[in-house]
């Protein structure tokens, strides 16, 4: 896996069929976790909090500075279909530099903040432990969206 790769959790694919996620109207967030956890597509029932088999928030970086507990909201998220391809997208995520920001982020977790179960959608490989005190932190999504279903 290369830095910047986005991997959907297998459980997310099942959750869509069970109407847990409304990609058009739910609020999605991007939380940062340490290297104490290594997410994989096959991670069992990944969630941001208790209730599933894997509580990813238990490895969240320590909130501080410009990083709030639970992470950043994915602003302007959209779910659209064109020519048989459905795409989920959102505005890029930026966390401004601050000396009190976390200095040990390894993975970014996209999860559904509207769902009572806070089910996880995907994870982003940050390529290694990332220090958010050293400069502005930004995830720039692909021009073709965060992910597509074809």
């Amino acid at each position: 896996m290369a830095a910047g790769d986005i991997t959907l959790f297998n459980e997310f694919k099942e959750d869509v069929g069970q109407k847990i996620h409304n990609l058009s109207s739910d609020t999605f967030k991007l939380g940062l976790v340490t290297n104490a956890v290594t997410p994989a597509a096959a991670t069992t029932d990944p969630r941001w909090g208790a209730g599933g088999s894997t509580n990813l928030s238990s490895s969240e970086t320590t909130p501080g500075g410009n990083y709030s507990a639970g992470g950043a909201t994915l602003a302007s998220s959209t779910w659209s279909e064109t020519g048989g391809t459905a795409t989920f997208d959102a505005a890029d995520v930026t966390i401004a530099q601050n000396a009190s920001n976390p200095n040990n982020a390894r993975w970014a977790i996209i999860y559904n903040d509207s769902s009572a179960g806070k089910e996880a959608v995907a994870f982003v490989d940050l390529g290694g432990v990332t220090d958010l005190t050293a400069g502005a932190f930004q995830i720039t999504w692909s021009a073709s969206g965060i992910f597509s279903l074809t």
Side-chain angles (χ1 to χ4, degrees):
M1 178 176 297
D5 281 355
I6 299 169
T7 302
L8 294 175
F9 288 109
N10 294 343
E11 187 76 23
F12 163 73
K13 298 168 191 174
E14 183 176 338
D15 290 349
V16 168
Q18 295 179 4
K19 298 193 252 183
I20 291 172
H21 303 283
N22 184 331
L23 297 169
S24 295
S25 62
D26 286 350
T27 298
F28 294 88
K29 293 186 95 173
L30 183 91
L32 300 176
V33 297
T34 69
N35 62 0
V37 64
T38 301
T43 297
T44 306
D45 197 10
R47 301 188 187 212
W48 193 265
S53 300
T54 307
N55 178 356
L56 296 165
S57 71
S58 65
S59 297
E60 184 177 19
T61 60
T62 303
N66 292 315
Y67 178 77
S68 300
T73 299
L74 294 184
S76 305
S77 64
T78 60
W79 177 245
S80 60
E81 183 273 331
T82 303
T85 299
T87 302
F88 180 72
D89 200 8
D92 297 339
V93 175
T94 301
I95 300 171
Q97 180 181 6
N98 186 299
S100 297
N101 281 353
N103 62 5
N104 60 346
R106 174 60 183 92
W107 307 95
I109 308 295
I110 299 172
Y111 69 96
N112 186 339
D113 195 47
S114 294
S115 168
K118 307 274 188 248
E119 289 84 359
V121 172
F123 63 93
V124 182
D125 183 351
L126 300 182
V129 174
T130 303
D131 183 350
L132 280 68
T133 68
F137 172 82
Q138 184 167 35
I139 292 182
T140 304
W141 307 115
S142 166
S144 58
I146 296 173
F147 68 85
S148 296
L149 302 177
T150 55

